[in-house]
Amino acid sequence: MSEANWKVEVTGACIASGMCVGTAPAYFELDGDRNRSVPRSARPAPDPLLLSVADSCPLEAIRVHDAGGTLLAPLD
Ligand code: SF4
């Protein structure tokens, strides 16, 4: 893991629509009860796909921060 790795979390707002899992299965999976999405890694290497998925989540439940803690997505 690089110091430059981003930070990804899925908040409790997730309704398990599955959109992020379908679009970016390398980064997200549904949990065992299939009632929310969870990141496969909380500290992935930077990837623009993470930003587009976070911007596309209907509940804005995916939060992507850079290594310094600045919110990258979703942005208004
Ligand atoms: S797109 Fe958003 S609401 Fe749907 S599963 Fe992913 S985090 Fe949850």
Side-chain angles (χ1 to χ4, degrees):
M1 185 180 76
S2 164
E3 288 296 313
N5 280 21
W6 289 351
K7 300 174 184 176
V8 175
E9 62 175 338
V10 176
T11 74
C14 172
I15 57 168
S17 71
M19 187 282 295
C20 59
V21 177
T23 304
Y27 292 113
F28 300 95
E29 61 184 340
L30 293 179
D31 72 359
D33 294 330
R34 304 182 71 82
N35 59 12
R36 67 180 293 175
S37 170
V38 291
R40 291 184 182 274
S41 169
R43 297 295 307 273
D47 185 338
L49 177 60
L50 289 164
L51 305 181
S52 63
V53 171
D55 283 332
S56 299
C57 171
L59 278 300
E60 297 189 349
I62 300 170
R63 316 286 292 181
V64 182
H65 293 83
D66 69 13
T70 298
L71 181 66
L72 300 176
L75 297 176
D76 291 333

